[in-house]
Amino acid sequence: MFGATRCLMMRKNTLSFCKLSDFIIVQNCRLISTSDKHSRKKKDSDRNPVKSTGGFRQNIVQTIGSSGVKEPKEPMSVFKPVLVKSNPDDLNFGEEIAGKINKQALLKELNRFFTSPEIKILCKDHGLDEYLYNQAYSSFRRFCMDVHHLPTELYILFSDILCGAQHNHDIFPYFLTHARKVFPHLDCIDELKLISDLTNPPNWYPEARAINRKIIFHSGPTNSGKTYHALERFLSAKSGIYCGPLKLLAVEVFNKSNSRGTPCDLVTGEERRSGREDGEISEHVACTVEMANMGQPFEVCVIDEIQVIKDFQRGWAWTRALLGIQAQEIHVCGEGAAVDLVKEICISTGEEVEVRNYKRLTPLVVQTTAVGTVDNIQAGDCIVCFNKQDIYNISRQLEQRGVEVAVIYGSLPPNTKLAMAAKFNDPNDSCKVMVATDAVGMGLNLNIRRMIFYSINKIQLTQDGEKEVDMISVSQSLQIAGRAGRFGTSWETGYVTTFKQEELKPLQDLLKQSPDEILQAGLHPTFDQLELYSYHLPFATLANLVDIFISLSTLDDSMYSLCHLDDFKFLADMIEHVRLPLKAKYTFCCAPINRKMPLVCTMFLKMARQYSKGELITFDWLCSQVGWPFSPPDTILDLVHLESVHDVFDLYLWLSYRFPDVFTCVDIVRQVQTELDTVIEEGVNNIVSLLKNADGGPGSSKGSLIDEDALEAKRRQIKKLKNSWTHEDANLAKKDSGGVQATAKEKNSLQKQFQEASSSDSPIDYSSKRVEDNESEIVPSNNSKKPPGRIADQLLQQGIVTPKMMKQLKRELQDTKKR
């Protein structure tokens, strides 16, 4: 009976699975079919060659290179194996039919199967390269060694192989089935390649292709009037859209348009403003380029700073605007280096390009001597630094010489930048010198006489995604230098020089050159494409879907390149464990976040968690996280923290327009952000004082230590006072928050203490003063009790002193007694 059953099972195996030679024949036919398909695809393609961006290996390295891995990845290493487990509920009669299996002998046969050259060739034909083959075999071996849960037919096959009745090559059908479970893409690789086909971006926008658009390229250097002429056409049109690189520029166009009597709306990632009093949608809109509406027709579109189309992070937005906006006239403004690329792109869309060239309106003179020292800084000078530390050093040196400075750098809120610019431009203000990063190179109108490069080296993002310190590009140098002597300001001639003499000659050489021709426009995978990927690869994470998309994408690299998606993948990995629908997770990961700010990243994660729970993300919840209300910063670290909080508010507002049902407190958050703008502006105005506080002054290290303890005591006391505040105290809530209200007299005293605490320069004196005030002004209620214990314990508990200060007081008392 046993032999007959075993014979039947062997016959079933023989009928159910083809021989090794059958798989080779079938695979050869499949390869021929696939090859024919690809050859037809190439014949039907456009005149431009369809290429993978440098092949699988180079494509992955170019786009994922910033992860820190300098060596090229294996082409298929982006595919992560899916864990395949045995089903313990499956009935296994194998041991009853075929007897017990020797695990050591089974492992030996499996290893022989793995090392077989014929099997390796066959696996390669089925899409399993060395990486996939190794991963699939490791999973298959673990699966097979759990002999008690093996499928019955596989158990019997192993028994027959160990008895010599069958060859170990007969394992291949089972191995291939298992490999396709470990790597689901093996079953749908052709479909995935079709989804990630980026060879013809113009076809993504059929509505725009149905319009015979007129493309006008306004080409010229900084301060040549190119954007002015484009905006004049924008203002005279019946409808129009302005797409700018910065919120500051969009706000400027918004204000200019409405002041000229042309109602214009403002649309940025964090803000919406109506240009009409009745709140209706205006015919004109000024927006950041990422927010451009591809579905609305306009008469005129202005795309500003088109050279950013090459940017490795944001270039995709300019490509999308150029190809997809439905406007009868597209006015493109920017450097002449982008003219040829725009022409090539428009040839593929069948649209003609008219180029209008402009020259600089005021002369720009490169000086023959460097500044050398801060003593040679003059009124109207702007010193450009490429890191904050240089900004701090220069600001301190200038203020030590009695020179008041305005400070602008990238992480400052837009309103603070505008306030600093207005202070510098005001002829009646005593501030006549600016210290800034290259943030002044775009978006701000400044009355600068001379631009001084403190350095000509900065951290640059390379094409491979790596960051390295290198000399600034020709485009960057021209963009920054061109801010000097702008047309319409009080300076008719602009001057440029360096701070260090040895860098003057290289800068002169840079300014003599023309910017390098822009060769490629950026592209970015859409949600629809990643969603289709997720249907085929349901177990892949969002970050892994992006990696696979990049690895399989094909595009015309004579005109296009994939933008770097490291920030997107960083956020995707951060919230991968949070249960969110794919659409919501994709939207969260598109948020403009500086991942170098830990507070912002933490709040991003907390907001995603709150959203996943279906809970409202209110102002109360936000305040509990960021520590509102705010006090003026004491040190530069306090200022950096407030800048991070401002970014958190920006994140909240950005998400509120994508998830309005969850982020409900838009108005009050915007009011608090305005309050925070004022606090940050005050801190920037006193930046040198903040630096002194951070350093502990010029005293000894012992003095510095005491100062830090005092500052900590002050913060603890302020924190205590903050906890006594309600929303009514700041006039930012329309109804009671529900907390226990203090008496009017006590509340007034606490508010007075908070204001004095925020502005006090002597924390130790402040602390003693607070004790006296508490004794004389605050009358405890009937239910309150006097804190028990020694005075020292009470002082420590209330945050008036720290343990280190108590030890120092103890030593001083002992010294006094000895005397």
Side-chain angles (χ1 to χ4, degrees):
M1 179 67 181
F2 176 77
T5 304
R6 182 169 181 177
C7 183
L8 287 173
M9 294 299 297
M10 289 174 61
R11 183 174 299 172
K12 179 181 177 182
N13 290 340
T14 304
L15 293 173
S16 300
F17 300 102
C18 301
K19 296 179 181 179
L20 188 62
S21 58
D22 295 333
F23 271 94
I24 295 175
I25 294 172
V26 170
Q27 183 59 20
N28 286 338
C29 296
R30 180 179 174 187
L31 283 174
I32 293 172
S33 174
T34 306
S35 178
D36 289 343
K37 184 194 302 182
H38 284 305
S39 65
R40 289 195 302 271
K41 182 176 179 182
K42 289 183 179 179
K43 290 178 182 178
D44 296 337
S45 65
D46 296 333
R47 61 174 184 82
N48 293 325
V50 176
K51 304 176 183 178
S52 173
T53 307
F56 274 150
R57 185 183 301 272
Q58 184 179 353
N59 195 359
I60 296 171
V61 172
Q62 285 181 353
T63 316
I64 315 178
S66 61
S67 60
V69 181
K70 294 185 178 181
E71 294 184 0
K73 289 189 175 185
E74 288 298 321
M76 292 294 176
S77 63
V78 295
F79 295 97
K80 306 301 179 184
V82 176
L83 181 62
V84 179
K85 294 182 179 179
S86 304
N87 188 355
D89 296 330
D90 287 346
L91 298 177
N92 180 14
F93 300 104
E95 185 173 350
E96 180 180 345
I97 296 173
K100 203 164 187 178
I101 287 180
N102 186 326
K103 285 189 175 183
Q104 290 295 328
L106 175 60
L107 179 61
K108 189 174 181 179
E109 285 296 332
L110 287 174
N111 288 335
R112 286 179 180 172
F113 168 83
F114 172 68
T115 56
S116 171
E118 294 86 354
I119 294 297
K120 288 183 177 180
I121 294 174
L122 194 57
C123 286
K124 190 173 182 179
D125 291 340
H126 280 83
L128 290 166
D129 67 356
E130 186 177 354
Y131 166 78
L132 298 180
Y133 182 54
N134 290 335
Q135 293 289 329
Y137 174 70
S138 297
S139 175
F140 184 67
R141 183 179 58 201
R142 287 192 301 269
F143 177 83
C144 293
M145 295 309 295
D146 185 13
V147 294
H148 299 294
H149 297 105
L150 283 176
T152 301
E153 63 271 19
L154 184 57
Y155 189 99
I156 294 175
L157 174 63
F158 285 152
S159 177
D160 289 346
I161 291 173
L162 294 179
C163 294
Q166 288 187 269
H167 196 275
N168 59 18
H169 284 182
D170 294 330
I171 300 173
F172 181 77
Y174 296 96
F175 172 74
L176 185 60
T177 301
H178 184 90
R180 286 174 174 165
K181 293 179 181 178
V182 176
F183 294 107
H185 78 275
L186 294 173
D187 277 335
C188 55
I189 191 69
D190 291 333
E191 291 83 353
L192 295 178
K193 287 181 179 179
L194 184 62
I195 295 169
S196 55
D197 183 357
L198 309 178
T199 54
N200 201 354
N203 288 350
W204 303 347
Y205 309 100
E207 295 86 359
R209 301 290 75 78
I211 304 173
N212 185 19
R213 304 186 307 170
K214 181 179 180 181
I215 313 296
I216 302 171
F217 195 119
H218 300 264
S219 172
T222 304
N223 195 20
S224 61
K226 55 186 183 296
T227 306
Y228 168 81
H229 288 90
L231 287 176
E232 287 299 308
R233 180 66 185 96
F234 166 82
L235 294 172
S236 64
K238 294 180 181 178
S239 63
I241 179 172
Y242 168 83
C243 305
L246 299 173
K247 178 181 178 180
L248 290 173
L249 289 172
V251 171
E252 182 181 344
V253 173
F254 166 79
N255 293 330
K256 180 178 181 179
S257 181
N258 287 294
S259 66
R260 295 262 303 258
T262 303
C264 178
D265 294 340
L266 175 69
V267 178
T268 69
E270 305 84 17
E271 189 174 7
R272 308 287 189 276
R273 289 192 218 168
S274 177
R276 296 176 51 172
E277 294 181 357
D278 57 6
E280 294 294 323
I281 298 176
S282 304
E283 296 295 330
H284 290 70
V285 59
C287 65
T288 47
V289 66
E290 286 87 353
M291 301 302 298
N293 187 352
M294 301 295 113
Q296 181 179 351
F298 299 96
E299 181 183 349
V300 170
C301 167
V302 176
I303 304 175
D304 205 359
E305 305 293 352
I306 188 62
Q307 68 272 8
V308 189
I309 199 170
K310 68 178 180 181
D311 188 76
F312 298 129
Q313 295 176 314
R314 297 180 64 198
W316 62 270
W318 275 260
T319 306
R320 172 175 169 267
L322 179 62
L323 291 174
I325 289 183
Q326 301 179 49
Q328 297 172 20
E329 292 182 20
I330 305 289
H331 291 259
V332 179
C333 306
E335 295 177 356
V339 170
D340 288 343
L341 177 61
V342 171
K343 284 183 176 180
E344 284 294 319
I345 292 175
C346 290
I347 287 174
S348 67
T349 64
E351 296 165 333
E352 297 180 1
V353 179
E354 175 188 345
V355 180
R356 299 178 184 175
N357 294 302
Y358 299 82
K359 294 183 179 180
R360 183 177 169 88
L361 298 175
T362 59
L364 182 64
V365 178
V366 183
Q367 296 183 326
T368 56
T369 57
V371 173
T373 173
V374 292
D375 294 325
N376 295 327
I377 300 297
Q378 304 171 8
D381 284 351
C382 176
I383 303 97
V384 178
C385 309
F386 293 114
N387 63 73
K388 281 187 178 180
Q389 194 60 46
D390 289 342
I391 286 182
Y392 299 153
N393 292 336
I394 292 295
S395 300
R396 179 179 299 180
Q397 292 179 47
L398 288 170
E399 296 246 356
Q400 286 174 353
R401 289 161 175 78
V403 179
E404 187 177 352
V405 298
V407 176
I408 292 179
Y409 48 87
S411 60
L412 283 180
N415 288 341
T416 305
K417 292 178 183 176
L418 290 174
M420 290 292 105
K423 179 180 180 181
F424 177 74
N425 291 339
D426 187 356
N428 299 320
D429 197 290
S430 58
C431 176
K432 299 301 178 186
V433 175
M434 174 169 285
V435 181
T437 63
D438 52 344
V440 298
M442 191 182 296
L444 292 169
N445 292 321
L446 299 166
N447 298 339
I448 298 173
R449 172 184 172 271
R450 181 172 61 171
M451 191 67 71
I452 302 170
F453 286 80
Y454 186 73
S455 172
I456 59 172
N457 297 302
K458 68 171 291 188
I459 297 176
Q460 307 270 27
L461 186 66
T462 66
Q463 186 176 359
D464 295 334
E466 301 288 344
K467 290 184 177 181
E468 63 181 17
V469 177
D470 197 5
M471 185 182 296
I472 59 176
S473 66
V474 174
S475 177
Q476 290 169 334
S477 62
L478 291 172
Q479 184 79 22
I480 297 170
R483 309 307 286 184
R486 286 184 64 82
F487 181 76
T489 65
S490 55
W491 309 106
E492 296 181 355
T493 301
Y495 297 90
V496 182
T497 187
T498 59
F499 193 84
K500 304 167 188 174
Q501 185 64 40
E502 62 270 17
E503 292 185 335
L504 182 56
K505 181 62 167 61
L507 179 64
Q508 291 172 340
D509 295 338
L510 285 173
L511 296 177
K512 290 177 183 177
Q513 303 175 45
S514 298
D516 295 334
E517 184 180 347
I518 298 174
L519 302 176
Q520 293 176 321
L523 294 176
H524 187 286
T526 65
F527 169 72
D528 293 337
Q529 290 168 323
L530 294 180
E531 185 180 35
L532 289 173
Y533 259 52
S534 70
Y535 294 151
H536 292 288
L537 307 172
F539 300 105
T541 65
L542 179 55
N544 191 219
L545 288 176
V546 172
D547 283 341
I548 297 172
F549 183 94
I550 293 168
S551 70
L552 297 180
S553 62
T554 54
L555 46 81
D556 180 4
D557 60 2
S558 67
M559 287 193 294
Y560 300 102
S561 65
L562 274 175
C563 288
H564 297 161
L565 300 171
D566 298 319
D567 289 344
F568 182 95
K569 292 190 296 178
F570 174 83
L571 297 178
D573 285 334
M574 186 187 300
I575 62 172
E576 183 55 43
H577 63 286
V578 181
R579 297 179 65 87
L580 289 172
L582 184 65
K583 177 65 174 177
K585 187 174 292 187
Y586 178 90
T587 304
F588 265 89
C589 294
C590 289
I593 288 178
N594 184 354
R595 61 178 181 176
K596 293 181 180 179
M597 292 187 172
L599 175 64
V600 181
C601 293
T602 302
M603 290 302 301
F604 171 80
L605 177 58
K606 288 183 178 181
M607 289 179 185
R609 283 176 178 164
Q610 287 288 104
Y611 180 86
S612 70
K613 298 174 185 176
E615 298 180 5
L616 295 180
I617 303 178
T618 63
F619 177 69
D620 287 334
W621 179 87
L622 193 60
C623 284
S624 68
Q625 304 294 324
V626 300
W628 178 85
F630 312 111
S631 61
D634 291 318
T635 66
I636 201 69
L637 292 179
D638 292 341
L639 179 61
V640 172
H641 173 73
L642 292 179
E643 291 169 6
S644 297
V645 174
H646 194 281
D647 283 356
V648 171
F649 286 157
D650 273 342
L651 173 63
Y652 183 97
L653 295 172
W654 191 91
L655 291 170
S656 70
Y657 289 107
R658 280 80 182 169
F659 308 105
D661 296 335
V662 177
F663 296 82
T664 56
C665 300
V666 176
D667 293 337
I668 190 171
V669 169
R670 199 176 299 284
Q671 293 180 50
V672 174
Q673 191 179 43
T674 303
E675 171 194 328
L676 180 57
D677 279 332
T678 305
V679 177
I680 293 176
E681 182 183 340
E682 182 180 343
V684 176
N685 282 327
N686 301 318
I687 193 168
V688 174
S689 300
L690 303 186
L691 291 168
K692 290 179 180 178
N693 290 341
D695 293 342
S700 64
S701 58
K702 183 178 179 181
S704 176
L705 179 63
I706 296 173
D707 187 60
E708 289 176 5
D709 285 342
L711 288 172
E712 165 137 4
K714 176 179 172 182
R715 289 193 193 98
R716 290 172 63 183
Q717 183 70 2
I718 290 176
K719 183 177 179 182
K720 176 189 172 187
L721 296 172
K722 283 180 181 178
N723 293 335
S724 303
W725 276 37
T726 66
H727 294 167
E728 277 189 356
D729 297 326
N731 298 319
L732 290 175
K734 296 181 180 178
K735 58 183 180 179
D736 194 341
S737 60
V740 179
Q741 302 296 313
T743 64
K745 188 174 182 180
E746 182 178 359
K747 185 183 296 183
N748 292 334
S749 175
L750 289 170
Q751 292 181 1
K752 180 181 177 183
Q753 292 179 36
F754 179 78
Q755 293 171 356
E756 294 181 4
S758 300
S759 58
S760 173
D761 294 329
S762 178
I764 300 178
D765 293 341
Y766 155 77
S767 299
S768 60
K769 186 175 187 297
R770 294 287 73 73
V771 176
E772 295 172 1
D773 288 347
N774 287 341
E775 290 176 355
S776 60
E777 295 183 9
I778 300 179
V779 180
S781 62
N782 296 332
N783 296 331
S784 63
K785 295 182 180 180
K786 196 172 183 178
R790 299 184 305 166
I791 295 178
D793 294 337
Q794 296 178 35
L795 294 175
L796 287 170
Q797 184 178 2
Q798 295 177 16
I800 297 174
V801 296
T802 64
K804 291 183 179 179
M805 293 170 63
M806 289 299 302
K807 292 179 181 179
Q808 185 177 349
L809 288 172
K810 184 177 180 181
R811 288 195 298 269
E812 290 179 356
L813 288 173
Q814 291 174 351
D815 292 341
T816 303
K817 289 180 180 179
K818 290 179 181 179
R819 293 174 185 174

